[in-house]
Each structure stands twice: as structure tokens, then as C-alpha cells.
Amino acid sequence: MKSEESRSEEEEEEEGEGSGAKYTGVGWALGLEFSSTNQEAGYLPQGVPLQLIGYLPEEPSFLPWHSASRALYQLDKLLDRTDEELQRELIMLACSFGNKQCHRQAVTYISDWISSNKNRIPPNIRDIVYCTGVSLMDEDVWEFIWMKFHSTSAVSEKKILLEALTCSDNTFLLNRLLNLSLTSDLVPEQDVIDVIIHVGRNPQGRNLAWKYFREKWDILNARYGEALFMNSKLIGGVTEFLNTEKELNELKEFIQANNLGAGPAMPRSLEIVEGNVRWHRLHRRHFFQWLRKSPNSNLG
């Protein structure tokens, strides 16, 4: 005759077989914890913990509900963050591609900040609004952002404000910022490279940054040359958007004149620029022809 304990184990095994399996409270909780952890690590699909959560209505014990609440809390955090990031991405794209409503809202935000001296711009889109405002509005706005950059003590806000200053369409202001960044104490030394790179990413500042980089190379190399990461970041950031034969030749001449072919940064940059030039030569005309077609014909 089998003991009560043996019968209980066998019954549980039988109940665990087939599609209508039932789980004990502790076993169910452990299973959910295990599946949630492995799903987060990428070893299981999202459907596994969600399928286990489907058994909750039949579960009277505390532990399964506790485990489910933890799993759902993590999922809720991920979904909230994803929605926020998606919204931010859409706003950034809208402003970048000239959406009038986005531009108007950015100008309204900046104007309100200037007139009231109260920053009501949502923190998660401040970088987008600052940059858009600086690019669209006059020199007074640039000066206002410059003033705020100096007056704030918050490191993250300071960084956003400094990057916004590089968004101007005014080449005089961009050139002024480049010179101030390297020849004064007004810009922290660790941020100088970011200023040059972001000016280079601005279509109005690309040539300025490239010229400035070459003219100030001795100073830049003396200051950052031993910091290989910083130096590589600067070289890659300034050259990644070069795309003409003239710029390619300038890069080759610069590398040769300064004997920079030995390290990995310059050869890599040369390879990227050669690829940019090749793309322009082979595909630019066809690409713009495609853009000029009607949306319906592009789908065909």
C-alpha cells in the first residue's frame, strides 16, 4: 500500500501532464520567477511568463500573485519606457524634418521660457526643443541659451544646453563657439571634443568643424592625443560626414602631412569617407530621382 506522501506525489505528476496541467502555489510561483528572469535575459519568449500568468484566476495562494505582480511590474516599466521613447523619437523626427507644428511648439516653449524665466519644457524633450529653437530663432535666443549654460550647475542640463548651441544656422555663432571652446575656460575641457563633433554634424557647420579641426590639430593632439578614446572619437566625429572628392583629398593630405597613418583612427576615417564619396558618385543622383517621384510610384 502506498503512503499518503507517495500518492500525493503521483497525483501531482499526473496533474502536471497534458495541456490542462495545474501547479501548486509554490511551484507556480517558482516557475513564473524562472520564466520571467529567463525571458528578460532573452532565453525565453515573452509568451511563456504571460501564459503562466493566465492561470492566476484559479490560484488562491499568495505566492503566485506576488510573483505575478513583480513580473507585471517589470513589463509595465518596459512598456512605459518604450512608449515614452517612441513619442520622443517621433517628436525628434518631426522637428528634424521640418514639421511646422513641431517647430511652432518649440518656438512657443523657448519664447515662454525667455519671457517668464521659468522653464516649463518637459525634461525628456528639452534637448530637441533647445536645438530646434536655436536653429529657428535669432541670435538673442543663442545668447540666452549661452547664458543659461553658464548659470546652471546641473551637469546634465549643462550638457544639453551646450549641444543646443551647436544647432545654430548662423556660421558666425558656430565659429565663435568653436573658438571659445578651445581658447577659453568658458567650456569645460572634457566637453570641447563634443562641441567640435556636434558642430560638424550640423550641415551649416560641417565645413567649419573640418577646417577648425585641421587648423587646431596641434593643440587638440597635445591636449587629447594620449587619451586614445577621446582622440579617436574626435577624429571619427569630425570626418564621418565628409563626402566630396575635395574633402577626401584634404583628409589624405592631412594624414600624410601629420604622419597619422599608423594608428587605427585615421585609416578607419579614410575608409568611411571613401565610402561616402563612392556612394555619392554611384547613388546620389538615383536617390534624389527616387525622392522626387510620387509616393505611389515609389511603392511600385
Side-chain angles (χ1 to χ4, degrees), residues 69-300:
S69 68
R70 290 177 59 182
L72 289 171
Y73 174 69
Q74 293 299 324
L75 182 60
D76 182 58
K77 284 201 304 182
L78 287 170
L79 288 173
D80 284 348
R81 187 161 62 248
T82 301
D83 288 344
E84 185 176 300
E85 288 176 353
L86 177 60
Q87 183 185 43
R88 173 187 154 77
E89 190 76 15
L90 290 172
I91 293 171
M92 182 177 68
L93 287 171
C95 283
S96 297
F97 285 97
N99 179 273
K100 291 182 179 179
Q101 183 178 350
C102 190
H103 283 185
R104 281 196 298 269
Q105 186 62 56
V107 169
T108 300
Y109 271 135
I110 296 291
S111 299
D112 175 70
W113 185 16
I114 293 172
S115 61
S116 67
N117 203 29
K118 292 182 180 179
N119 191 344
R120 300 184 178 93
I121 304 168
N124 66 313
I125 59 169
R126 283 185 179 178
D127 58 332
I128 302 170
V129 173
Y130 293 175
C131 182
T132 304
V134 166
S135 69
L136 293 174
M137 302 170 80
D138 58 22
E139 187 174 338
D140 290 341
V141 172
W142 193 93
E143 295 289 354
F144 175 80
I145 297 293
W146 176 250
M147 178 191 69
K148 290 296 182 182
F149 165 72
H150 288 293
S151 63
T152 186
S153 57
V155 175
S156 59
E157 179 73 0
K158 211 171 184 69
K159 185 175 180 64
I160 294 171
L161 289 163
L162 184 59
E163 289 183 6
L165 292 167
T166 69
C167 297
S168 176
D169 287 344
N170 187 322
T171 55
F172 170 78
L173 293 175
L174 294 176
N175 206 41
R176 176 184 165 193
L177 182 62
L178 286 171
N179 286 315
L180 286 172
S181 68
L182 197 60
T183 60
S184 72
D185 296 329
L186 297 175
V187 175
E189 186 170 315
Q190 67 270 19
D191 293 329
V192 171
I193 286 178
D194 287 333
V195 168
I196 299 172
I197 289 173
H198 280 89
V199 170
R201 288 175 179 171
N202 180 341
Q204 302 301 321
R206 191 187 79 188
N207 292 333
L208 285 176
W210 173 226
K211 181 182 178 184
Y212 189 81
F213 169 79
R214 286 175 291 154
E215 290 178 350
K216 304 297 182 182
W217 170 249
D218 289 339
I219 299 173
L220 291 166
N221 193 44
R223 186 180 295 186
Y224 303 108
E226 293 184 6
L228 294 178
F229 169 74
M230 297 288 280
N231 211 17
S232 297
K233 179 183 177 183
L234 173 61
I235 293 168
V238 171
T239 60
E240 66 178 326
F241 293 108
L242 303 181
N243 55 40
T244 67
E245 291 283 356
K246 177 177 178 290
E247 290 167 338
L248 176 59
N249 290 331
E250 288 172 347
L251 178 58
K252 289 178 178 178
E253 291 169 5
F254 177 75
I255 292 173
Q256 186 174 5
N258 292 277
N259 196 25
L260 298 173
M266 279 299 182
R268 175 61 180 153
S269 294
L270 184 61
E271 182 182 336
I272 290 172
V273 176
E274 286 174 339
N276 293 345
V277 172
R278 190 182 310 112
W279 185 92
H280 272 258
R281 185 175 66 251
L282 297 175
H283 305 298
R284 185 177 185 274
R285 184 169 60 87
H286 298 294
F287 177 71
F288 279 99
Q289 285 176 348
W290 179 84
L291 285 177
R292 292 188 190 101
K293 292 180 181 178
S294 66
N296 290 334
S297 63
N298 282 336
L299 293 174

Side-chain angles (χ1 to χ4, degrees), residues 9-56:
E9 288 176 356
E10 285 183 358
E11 287 169 0
E12 286 182 6
E13 287 177 4
E14 289 173 2
E15 287 178 348
E17 295 174 356
S19 59
K22 293 183 179 179
Y23 302 91
T24 63
V26 174
W28 191 97
L30 290 173
L32 181 57
E33 293 277 357
F34 175 81
S35 64
S36 295
T37 302
N38 281 274
Q39 182 274 319
E40 289 172 13
Y43 299 122
L44 285 176
Q46 179 67 64
V48 173
L50 291 178
Q51 188 176 9
L52 286 173
I53 288 172
Y55 288 99
L56 270 178

